[in-house]
Amino acid sequence: QVHLAESGGALVQAGGSLRLSCVASGDIFSRNIMAWYRQAPGKERELVAQMSSDTTTHYADSVKGRFDISRDNKNNMVFLQMNSLKPEDTGVYYCYFEEGAFGYEFWGQGTQVTVYS
């Protein structure tokens, strides 16, 4: 079992920046994927960015060049630096963990990001 705790969501003006953090605890397998998803009101949850334990990254097209995902593997943390925020970035941001051996998936409770113009 893996527990994920996010922090860093806030109300921010368009053009501003935020940094989200997520710490994982529990049975952490060294080979894994950590990611950020978001869900806007009335929309499906979507992948924002992911980074595997071998540092391979993937970003949604809508955030490329603005968002940066990073990890602190020693402390089982993942971060999302969000720059040049837009109102369409508004949503609940969820931390995601996929265990590498059997593909077990875990989700955090989410943190609200609201970008106003």
Side-chain angles (χ1 to χ4, degrees), residues 3-21:
H3 177 71
L4 302 171
E6 305 103 331
S7 61
L11 178 67
V12 63
Q13 191 170 20
S17 298
L18 277 178
R19 188 183 192 226
L20 304 183
S21 300

Side-chain angles (χ1 to χ4, degrees), residues 57-114:
T57 59
H58 173 77
Y59 293 91
D61 288 342
S62 59
V63 306
K64 283 180 181 177
R66 300 189 297 122
F67 290 11
D68 180 64
I69 188 169
S70 60
R71 293 178 55 150
D72 175 357
N73 289 329
K74 180 179 179 182
N75 293 300
N76 298 316
M77 296 187 73
V78 64
F79 308 97
L80 186 67
Q81 178 65 42
M82 304 186 292
N83 301 320
S84 302
L85 282 161
K86 305 175 181 180
E88 51 263 43
D89 294 318
T90 293
V92 179
Y93 282 69
Y94 295 92
C95 183
Y96 167 90
F97 179 95
E98 180 180 320
E99 182 267 343
F102 300 103
Y104 296 135
E105 299 178 331
F106 302 92
W107 294 89
Q109 299 273 31
T111 186
Q112 177 70 45
V113 172
T114 302

